[in-house]
Amino acid sequence: MDPHSFILISAAFGVLCAFVFLALRSGFPRDIAGLARWGWSCALMAGAALLFALQGKAPMFISSFVPNLAVAAGVAGLRGSVRRFAGKTAGDAWPAALIILCAAGLIVATLVYEDFRLRVLIMSGALALLFASSAFEVWRVPARAFAERYTAAIFGATAAMMLTRFAAALGCGDASRAALCADVAVLHMVYMATFSFSIVALSLGFLLMVNRALQTRLESLASRDQLSGAYRREAFLALLDRELIGERAAQRPLCLLMMDLDNFKAINDCHGHLVGDRVIRDFSEKVKSVLRRDDLVGRYGGEEFLVLFPDTPPDDAQAIAQRILQAARRGSVGLPAYTVSIGMAILEGGGIDAAAVIDAADGALYAAKRSGKDRLELVRPAGLSVAA
Ligand SMILES: Nc1nc2c(ncn2[C@@H]2O[C@H](COP(=O)(O)OP(=O)(O)OP(=O)(O)O)[C@@H](O)[C@H]2O)c(=O)[nH]1
Protein backbone atom coordinates (compact mmCIF):
# COMPACT_ATOMS: atom_id res chain seq x y z
CA MET A 1 0.00 0.00 0.00
CA ASP A 2 1.40 3.45 -0.84
CA PRO A 3 1.88 6.17 1.78
CA HIS A 4 -1.04 8.07 0.29
CA SER A 5 -3.45 5.24 1.13
CA PHE A 6 -2.06 5.00 4.65
CA ILE A 7 -2.62 8.71 5.10
CA LEU A 8 -6.25 8.42 4.00
CA ILE A 9 -6.78 5.39 6.27
CA SER A 10 -5.34 7.40 9.20
CA ALA A 11 -7.79 10.19 8.44
CA ALA A 12 -10.74 7.77 8.34
CA PHE A 13 -9.66 6.09 11.61
CA GLY A 14 -9.15 9.50 13.24
CA VAL A 15 -12.65 10.67 12.23
CA LEU A 16 -14.23 7.46 13.52
CA CYS A 17 -12.40 7.64 16.86
CA ALA A 18 -13.29 11.33 17.23
CA PHE A 19 -16.93 10.52 16.55
CA VAL A 20 -16.99 7.68 19.11
CA PHE A 21 -15.40 9.75 21.91
CA LEU A 22 -17.44 12.90 21.29
CA ALA A 23 -20.63 10.82 21.19
CA LEU A 24 -19.72 8.90 24.36
CA ARG A 25 -18.90 12.04 26.27
CA SER A 26 -22.47 13.11 26.95
CA GLY A 27 -23.38 9.75 28.52
CA PHE A 28 -20.42 9.64 30.90
CA PRO A 29 -20.36 11.19 34.38
CA ARG A 30 -18.43 14.47 34.42
CA ASP A 31 -15.80 13.14 36.80
CA ILE A 32 -14.62 10.58 34.23
CA ALA A 33 -12.72 13.27 32.36
CA GLY A 34 -10.70 13.42 29.17
CA LEU A 35 -13.16 11.97 26.63
CA ALA A 36 -13.92 15.20 24.76
CA ARG A 37 -10.26 16.15 24.63
CA TRP A 38 -9.39 12.71 23.27
CA GLY A 39 -12.12 13.05 20.63
CA TRP A 40 -10.93 16.50 19.50
CA SER A 41 -7.32 15.29 19.41
CA CYS A 42 -8.34 12.44 17.09
CA ALA A 43 -10.23 14.93 14.92
CA LEU A 44 -7.14 17.15 14.78
CA MET A 45 -4.99 14.21 13.66
CA ALA A 46 -7.58 13.20 11.08
CA GLY A 47 -7.52 16.76 9.70
CA ALA A 48 -3.72 16.66 9.65
CA ALA A 49 -3.78 13.39 7.69
CA LEU A 50 -6.09 14.94 5.07
CA LEU A 51 -3.72 17.88 4.67
CA PHE A 52 -0.73 15.51 4.33
CA ALA A 53 -2.63 13.84 1.49
CA LEU A 54 -2.45 17.12 -0.43
CA GLN A 55 1.34 16.86 -0.69
CA GLY A 56 2.46 17.70 -4.22
CA LYS A 57 -0.88 19.41 -4.94
CA ALA A 58 -0.90 22.17 -2.34
CA PRO A 59 1.85 24.46 -1.06
CA MET A 60 4.20 23.01 1.58
CA PHE A 61 2.78 25.34 4.19
CA ILE A 62 -0.64 23.64 3.84
CA SER A 63 0.47 20.08 3.12
CA SER A 64 3.45 19.80 5.49
CA PHE A 65 3.95 22.67 7.94
CA VAL A 66 0.37 22.89 9.30
CA PRO A 67 -0.35 19.12 9.45
CA ASN A 68 2.97 18.32 11.14
CA LEU A 69 2.13 20.77 13.91
CA ALA A 70 -1.46 19.51 14.06
CA VAL A 71 -0.22 15.94 14.60
CA ALA A 72 2.05 17.12 17.44
CA ALA A 73 -0.86 19.08 18.96
CA GLY A 74 -3.07 15.99 18.61
CA VAL A 75 -0.59 13.76 20.45
CA ALA A 76 -0.16 16.46 23.12
CA GLY A 77 -3.98 16.44 23.36
CA LEU A 78 -4.02 12.66 23.93
CA ARG A 79 -1.44 13.11 26.67
CA GLY A 80 -3.56 15.86 28.28
CA SER A 81 -6.64 13.60 28.11
CA VAL A 82 -4.84 10.90 30.04
CA ARG A 83 -3.80 13.44 32.68
CA ARG A 84 -7.37 14.78 32.96
CA PHE A 85 -8.65 11.21 33.24
CA ALA A 86 -6.21 10.70 36.14
CA GLY A 87 -7.70 13.77 37.86
CA LYS A 88 -4.79 16.11 37.11
CA THR A 89 -4.58 19.34 35.11
CA ALA A 90 -3.91 18.81 31.39
CA GLY A 91 -0.29 19.98 31.90
CA ASP A 92 -0.07 21.50 28.43
CA ALA A 93 2.73 24.02 29.14
CA TRP A 94 5.80 22.10 28.02
CA PRO A 95 4.07 20.30 25.10
CA ALA A 96 2.93 23.76 23.87
CA ALA A 97 6.49 25.11 24.16
CA LEU A 98 7.76 22.03 22.29
CA ILE A 99 5.25 22.61 19.48
CA ILE A 100 6.35 26.26 19.18
CA LEU A 101 9.97 25.08 18.91
CA CYS A 102 8.91 22.54 16.26
CA ALA A 103 7.14 25.35 14.37
CA ALA A 104 10.34 27.42 14.38
CA GLY A 105 12.34 24.42 13.15
CA LEU A 106 9.78 23.56 10.47
CA ILE A 107 9.73 27.15 9.18
CA VAL A 108 13.42 26.73 8.47
CA ALA A 109 13.10 23.21 7.01
CA THR A 110 9.95 23.85 4.95
CA LEU A 111 9.65 27.50 4.12
CA VAL A 112 13.23 28.84 4.20
CA TYR A 113 14.75 25.87 2.41
CA GLU A 114 13.39 22.40 1.62
CA ASP A 115 14.97 19.85 3.97
CA PHE A 116 12.97 16.65 4.39
CA ARG A 117 15.56 15.05 6.67
CA LEU A 118 15.52 17.96 9.11
CA ARG A 119 11.71 17.84 9.17
CA VAL A 120 11.82 14.12 9.93
CA LEU A 121 14.33 14.76 12.72
CA ILE A 122 12.27 17.56 14.27
CA MET A 123 8.92 15.78 14.06
CA SER A 124 10.00 12.28 15.00
CA GLY A 125 12.06 13.64 17.91
CA ALA A 126 9.14 15.73 19.22
CA LEU A 127 6.58 12.96 18.69
CA ALA A 128 8.83 10.38 20.38
CA LEU A 129 8.97 12.69 23.41
CA LEU A 130 5.20 13.27 23.45
CA PHE A 131 4.35 9.57 23.01
CA ALA A 132 6.88 8.51 25.67
CA SER A 133 5.51 11.10 28.09
CA SER A 134 1.95 9.87 27.38
CA ALA A 135 3.05 6.29 28.11
CA PHE A 136 4.48 7.50 31.41
CA GLU A 137 1.25 9.36 32.27
CA VAL A 138 -0.88 6.28 31.56
CA TRP A 139 1.47 4.13 33.61
CA ARG A 140 0.98 6.49 36.56
CA VAL A 141 -2.84 6.31 36.49
CA PRO A 142 -3.93 5.11 39.96
CA ALA A 143 -5.33 1.56 40.22
CA ARG A 144 -3.54 0.50 37.04
CA ALA A 145 -5.20 -2.48 35.36
CA PHE A 146 -5.05 -4.23 31.97
CA ALA A 147 -6.50 -1.23 30.08
CA GLU A 148 -3.78 1.09 31.39
CA ARG A 149 -0.98 -1.42 30.77
CA TYR A 150 -2.19 -2.00 27.22
CA THR A 151 -2.51 1.74 26.46
CA ALA A 152 0.88 2.50 28.00
CA ALA A 153 2.41 -0.29 25.88
CA ILE A 154 0.93 1.15 22.66
CA PHE A 155 2.10 4.66 23.54
CA GLY A 156 5.54 3.22 24.36
CA ALA A 157 5.74 1.19 21.13
CA THR A 158 4.76 4.24 19.05
CA ALA A 159 7.40 6.31 20.88
CA ALA A 160 9.97 3.61 20.05
CA MET A 161 8.94 3.73 16.37
CA MET A 162 9.36 7.51 16.31
CA LEU A 163 12.76 7.19 17.95
CA THR A 164 13.86 4.60 15.36
CA ARG A 165 12.78 6.94 12.60
CA PHE A 166 14.69 9.77 14.28
CA ALA A 167 17.83 7.62 14.56
CA ALA A 168 17.56 6.46 10.93
CA ALA A 169 17.20 10.03 9.68
CA LEU A 170 20.14 11.06 11.83
CA GLY A 171 22.23 8.37 10.11
CA CYS A 172 21.42 9.70 6.62
CA GLY A 173 23.98 12.13 5.30
CA ASP A 174 22.16 13.75 2.42
CA ALA A 175 19.56 16.37 3.03
CA SER A 176 17.58 15.99 -0.17
CA ARG A 177 14.40 13.86 -0.29
CA ALA A 178 15.58 11.94 -3.37
CA ALA A 179 18.85 10.90 -1.78
CA LEU A 180 17.41 9.76 1.52
CA CYS A 181 18.76 6.32 2.23
CA ALA A 182 16.55 3.29 1.58
CA ASP A 183 16.26 2.53 5.30
CA VAL A 184 14.43 5.77 5.98
CA ALA A 185 12.12 5.18 3.00
CA VAL A 186 11.16 1.76 4.41
CA LEU A 187 10.85 3.23 7.89
CA HIS A 188 8.66 5.96 6.46
CA MET A 189 6.18 3.28 5.32
CA VAL A 190 6.33 1.53 8.68
CA TYR A 191 5.91 4.92 10.35
CA MET A 192 2.80 5.67 8.30
CA ALA A 193 1.35 2.25 9.11
CA THR A 194 2.23 2.57 12.81
CA PHE A 195 0.71 5.99 13.00
CA SER A 196 -2.55 4.95 11.31
CA PHE A 197 -3.04 1.97 13.53
CA SER A 198 -1.77 3.56 16.72
CA ILE A 199 -4.64 6.07 16.65
CA VAL A 200 -7.11 3.18 16.66
CA ALA A 201 -5.13 1.03 19.09
CA LEU A 202 -4.70 3.94 21.50
CA SER A 203 -8.35 4.92 21.21
CA LEU A 204 -9.39 1.35 22.02
CA GLY A 205 -7.07 1.44 25.03
CA PHE A 206 -8.51 4.73 26.28
CA LEU A 207 -11.99 3.39 25.67
CA LEU A 208 -11.18 0.41 27.90
CA MET A 209 -9.82 2.79 30.54
CA VAL A 210 -12.91 5.01 30.66
CA ASN A 211 -15.18 1.96 30.51
CA ARG A 212 -13.43 0.40 33.51
CA ALA A 213 -13.71 3.71 35.39
CA LEU A 214 -17.44 3.77 34.62
CA GLN A 215 -17.85 0.18 35.76
CA THR A 216 -16.05 0.94 39.05
CA ARG A 217 -18.29 3.99 39.48
CA LEU A 218 -21.47 1.98 38.91
CA GLU A 219 -20.33 -0.80 41.23
CA SER A 220 -19.61 1.78 43.89
CA LEU A 221 -23.04 3.40 43.38
CA ALA A 222 -24.69 0.01 43.74
CA SER A 223 -22.75 -1.13 46.79
CA ARG A 224 -21.98 2.11 48.66
CA ASP A 225 -24.22 4.33 50.70
CA GLN A 226 -23.97 7.80 49.19
CA LEU A 227 -24.21 9.74 52.47
CA SER A 228 -21.51 7.93 54.41
CA GLY A 229 -19.50 6.16 51.70
CA ALA A 230 -19.82 2.94 53.74
CA TYR A 231 -21.09 -0.30 52.15
CA ARG A 232 -24.85 -0.57 51.85
CA ARG A 233 -26.48 -3.13 54.11
CA GLU A 234 -26.92 -5.82 51.40
CA ALA A 235 -23.38 -5.41 50.08
CA PHE A 236 -21.96 -5.57 53.59
CA LEU A 237 -23.97 -8.70 54.44
CA ALA A 238 -22.71 -10.39 51.27
CA LEU A 239 -19.12 -9.58 52.29
CA LEU A 240 -19.77 -10.83 55.83
CA ASP A 241 -21.23 -14.07 54.45
CA ARG A 242 -18.13 -14.54 52.32
CA GLU A 243 -15.92 -14.14 55.39
CA LEU A 244 -17.95 -16.66 57.41
CA ILE A 245 -18.08 -19.38 54.76
CA GLY A 246 -15.29 -21.79 53.96
CA GLU A 247 -12.59 -23.65 55.76
CA ARG A 248 -10.44 -20.64 56.48
CA ALA A 249 -13.28 -19.04 58.46
CA ALA A 250 -13.04 -21.79 61.09
CA GLN A 251 -9.34 -21.17 61.63
CA ARG A 252 -9.12 -17.43 62.08
CA PRO A 253 -10.62 -15.01 64.54
CA LEU A 254 -13.17 -12.51 63.29
CA CYS A 255 -14.78 -9.58 65.09
CA LEU A 256 -17.90 -7.63 64.20
CA LEU A 257 -18.83 -4.24 65.64
CA MET A 258 -22.34 -2.87 65.67
CA MET A 259 -22.32 0.87 66.40
CA ASP A 260 -25.19 3.25 67.03
CA LEU A 261 -24.93 7.02 67.54
CA ASP A 262 -26.27 8.03 70.96
CA ASN A 263 -29.35 10.22 71.30
CA PHE A 264 -29.36 10.89 67.60
CA LYS A 265 -33.03 11.76 67.57
CA ALA A 266 -32.23 14.70 69.88
CA ILE A 267 -29.50 15.90 67.46
CA ASN A 268 -32.02 15.84 64.61
CA ASP A 269 -34.67 17.54 66.70
CA CYS A 270 -32.38 20.33 68.01
CA HIS A 271 -30.23 21.01 64.95
CA GLY A 272 -32.27 19.74 62.03
CA HIS A 273 -32.02 16.78 59.69
CA LEU A 274 -29.25 18.26 57.54
CA VAL A 275 -26.96 18.65 60.53
CA GLY A 276 -27.91 15.09 61.49
CA ASP A 277 -26.74 13.98 58.03
CA ARG A 278 -23.45 15.82 58.49
CA VAL A 279 -22.94 14.07 61.83
CA ILE A 280 -23.48 10.69 60.13
CA ARG A 281 -20.93 11.60 57.45
CA ASP A 282 -18.49 12.92 60.04
CA PHE A 283 -18.76 9.76 62.12
CA SER A 284 -18.26 7.56 59.09
CA GLU A 285 -15.10 9.48 58.14
CA LYS A 286 -13.77 9.15 61.67
CA VAL A 287 -14.42 5.41 61.62
CA LYS A 288 -12.64 5.01 58.29
CA SER A 289 -9.69 7.04 59.55
CA VAL A 290 -9.02 4.56 62.36
CA LEU A 291 -9.68 1.36 60.41
CA ARG A 292 -7.02 -0.68 58.62
CA ARG A 293 -7.01 -1.43 54.90
CA ASP A 294 -8.84 -4.78 55.10
CA ASP A 295 -11.48 -3.74 57.64
CA LEU A 296 -14.94 -3.23 56.19
CA VAL A 297 -17.53 -0.68 57.24
CA GLY A 298 -21.20 -0.83 56.36
CA ARG A 299 -24.24 1.29 57.12
CA TYR A 300 -26.81 -1.04 58.64
CA GLY A 301 -29.62 1.48 59.08
CA GLY A 302 -30.13 5.20 59.85
CA GLU A 303 -27.38 5.90 62.42
CA GLU A 304 -26.28 2.29 62.82
CA PHE A 305 -23.01 1.05 61.38
CA LEU A 306 -21.24 -2.30 61.20
CA VAL A 307 -17.51 -2.90 61.08
CA LEU A 308 -15.98 -6.23 60.19
CA PHE A 309 -12.42 -7.06 61.23
CA PRO A 310 -11.44 -10.14 59.26
CA ASP A 311 -8.66 -12.33 60.63
CA THR A 312 -8.15 -10.07 63.64
CA PRO A 313 -7.36 -11.07 67.24
CA PRO A 314 -10.03 -9.73 69.65
CA ASP A 315 -7.51 -7.51 71.50
CA ASP A 316 -6.63 -5.66 68.29
CA ALA A 317 -10.29 -5.21 67.33
CA GLN A 318 -11.08 -3.99 70.83
CA ALA A 319 -8.27 -1.40 70.65
CA ILE A 320 -9.66 -0.09 67.36
CA ALA A 321 -13.19 0.05 68.80
CA GLN A 322 -11.85 2.12 71.70
CA ARG A 323 -10.24 4.49 69.21
CA ILE A 324 -13.62 4.88 67.47
CA LEU A 325 -15.25 5.79 70.81
CA GLN A 326 -12.54 8.41 71.43
CA ALA A 327 -12.72 9.81 67.88
CA ALA A 328 -16.49 10.33 68.23
CA ARG A 329 -16.05 12.05 71.61
CA ARG A 330 -13.42 14.43 70.23
CA GLY A 331 -16.09 16.24 68.22
CA SER A 332 -15.72 18.22 65.00
CA VAL A 333 -15.73 21.93 64.30
CA GLY A 334 -19.20 23.20 63.38
CA LEU A 335 -21.02 20.04 64.50
CA PRO A 336 -22.86 19.26 67.76
CA ALA A 337 -21.05 16.96 70.20
CA TYR A 338 -21.99 13.30 69.84
CA THR A 339 -21.00 9.89 71.15
CA VAL A 340 -21.48 6.31 70.01
CA SER A 341 -22.25 2.98 71.66
CA ILE A 342 -20.60 -0.17 70.34
CA GLY A 343 -21.38 -3.87 70.62
CA MET A 344 -18.65 -6.27 69.55
CA ALA A 345 -19.12 -9.94 68.66
CA ILE A 346 -15.98 -12.08 68.83
CA LEU A 347 -15.82 -15.23 66.75
CA GLU A 348 -12.91 -17.55 67.21
CA GLY A 349 -14.10 -20.81 65.74
CA GLY A 350 -16.41 -20.20 62.77
CA GLY A 351 -19.54 -22.35 62.30
CA ILE A 352 -21.99 -19.45 62.62
CA ASP A 353 -24.02 -17.54 60.06
CA ALA A 354 -24.15 -13.81 59.38
CA ALA A 355 -27.56 -13.32 61.03
CA ALA A 356 -26.36 -14.96 64.27
CA VAL A 357 -23.18 -12.82 64.46
CA ILE A 358 -25.18 -9.64 63.82
CA ASP A 359 -27.71 -10.70 66.44
CA ALA A 360 -24.90 -11.22 68.92
CA ALA A 361 -23.32 -7.81 68.18
CA ASP A 362 -26.77 -6.21 68.39
CA GLY A 363 -27.26 -7.79 71.81
CA ALA A 364 -23.94 -6.36 72.99
CA LEU A 365 -24.90 -2.95 71.59
CA TYR A 366 -28.17 -3.07 73.50
CA ALA A 367 -26.17 -3.86 76.66
CA ALA A 368 -23.89 -0.84 75.97
CA LYS A 369 -26.96 1.43 75.60
CA ARG A 370 -28.48 0.12 78.80
CA SER A 371 -25.24 0.59 80.73
CA GLY A 372 -25.15 4.33 80.02
CA LYS A 373 -24.10 4.63 76.30
CA ASP A 374 -20.74 5.94 74.96
CA ARG A 375 -19.10 2.57 75.68
CA LEU A 376 -18.09 -0.79 74.28
CA GLU A 377 -19.57 -4.18 75.23
CA LEU A 378 -18.20 -7.51 74.06
CA VAL A 379 -19.99 -10.74 73.38
CA ARG A 380 -18.85 -14.18 72.27
CA PRO A 381 -21.76 -15.65 70.32
CA ALA A 382 -21.84 -18.57 72.79
CA GLY A 383 -23.74 -16.06 74.91
CA LEU A 384 -21.27 -14.58 77.38
CA SER A 385 -21.38 -10.76 77.58
CA VAL A 386 -18.52 -8.92 79.25
CA ALA A 387 -18.17 -5.17 79.87
CA ALA A 388 -14.95 -3.80 78.30
N1 LIG B 1 -30.41 13.06 59.81
C1 LIG B 1 -30.71 11.78 59.66
N2 LIG B 1 -31.41 11.15 60.61
C2 LIG B 1 -31.68 9.84 60.48
C3 LIG B 1 -31.24 9.12 59.36
N3 LIG B 1 -31.66 7.84 59.49
C4 LIG B 1 -32.35 7.78 60.66
N4 LIG B 1 -32.35 8.98 61.27
C5 LIG B 1 -32.95 9.36 62.54
O1 LIG B 1 -32.19 8.82 63.59
C6 LIG B 1 -33.03 8.81 64.76
C7 LIG B 1 -32.77 7.54 65.55
O2 LIG B 1 -33.39 7.71 66.76
P1 LIG B 1 -33.62 6.55 67.81
O3 LIG B 1 -33.61 5.22 67.10
O4 LIG B 1 -34.82 6.91 68.61
O5 LIG B 1 -32.35 6.54 68.67
P2 LIG B 1 -31.53 7.64 69.44
O6 LIG B 1 -32.23 8.95 69.56
O7 LIG B 1 -30.19 7.66 68.77
O8 LIG B 1 -31.43 7.01 70.86
P3 LIG B 1 -30.44 5.88 71.36
O9 LIG B 1 -30.18 4.97 70.20
O10 LIG B 1 -31.15 5.19 72.45
O11 LIG B 1 -29.22 6.56 71.80
C8 LIG B 1 -34.45 8.93 64.27
O12 LIG B 1 -34.95 10.20 64.64
C9 LIG B 1 -34.34 8.84 62.75
O13 LIG B 1 -35.29 9.66 62.10
C10 LIG B 1 -30.50 9.82 58.34
O14 LIG B 1 -30.08 9.27 57.33
N5 LIG B 1 -30.26 11.13 58.55
Side-chain angles (χ1 to χ4, degrees), residues 225 227 260-269 272-280 299 301-304 339 341 369 373:
D225 165 57
L227 177 64
D260 185 283
L261 294 176
D262 296 326
N263 309 315
F264 194 65
K265 187 172 181 317
I267 292 179
N268 270 337
D269 291 348
H273 222 75
L274 285 180
V275 173
D277 281 356
R278 284 175 51 208
V279 168
I280 289 178
R299 189 170 175 201
E303 18 65 279
E304 260 187 327
T339 56
S341 297
K369 290 273 183 191
K373 305 184 180 177

Side-chain angles (χ1 to χ4, degrees), residues 242-257:
R242 204 184 61 191
E243 287 297 324
L244 292 170
I245 292 169
E247 268 176 37
R248 279 178 62 218
Q251 290 148 19
R252 40 187 205 154
L254 177 151
C255 297
L256 181 82
L257 302 186

Side-chain angles (χ1 to χ4, degrees), residues 290-347:
V290 297
L291 295 186
R292 302 152 315 166
R293 221 174 59 129
D294 292 338
D295 302 336
L296 303 172
V297 54
R299 189 170 175 201
Y300 194 58
E303 18 65 279
E304 260 187 327
F305 287 84
L306 289 166
V307 172
L308 175 66
F309 298 110
D311 203 2
T312 304
D315 287 351
D316 293 1
Q318 202 176 326
I320 299 172
Q322 290 291 355
R323 287 212 291 277
I324 293 176
L325 285 174
Q326 286 159 15
R329 275 177 214 136
R330 258 199 308 275
S332 292
V333 180
L335 287 181
Y338 65 89
T339 56
V340 64
S341 297
I342 306 180
M344 177 166 139
I346 301 167
L347 262 191

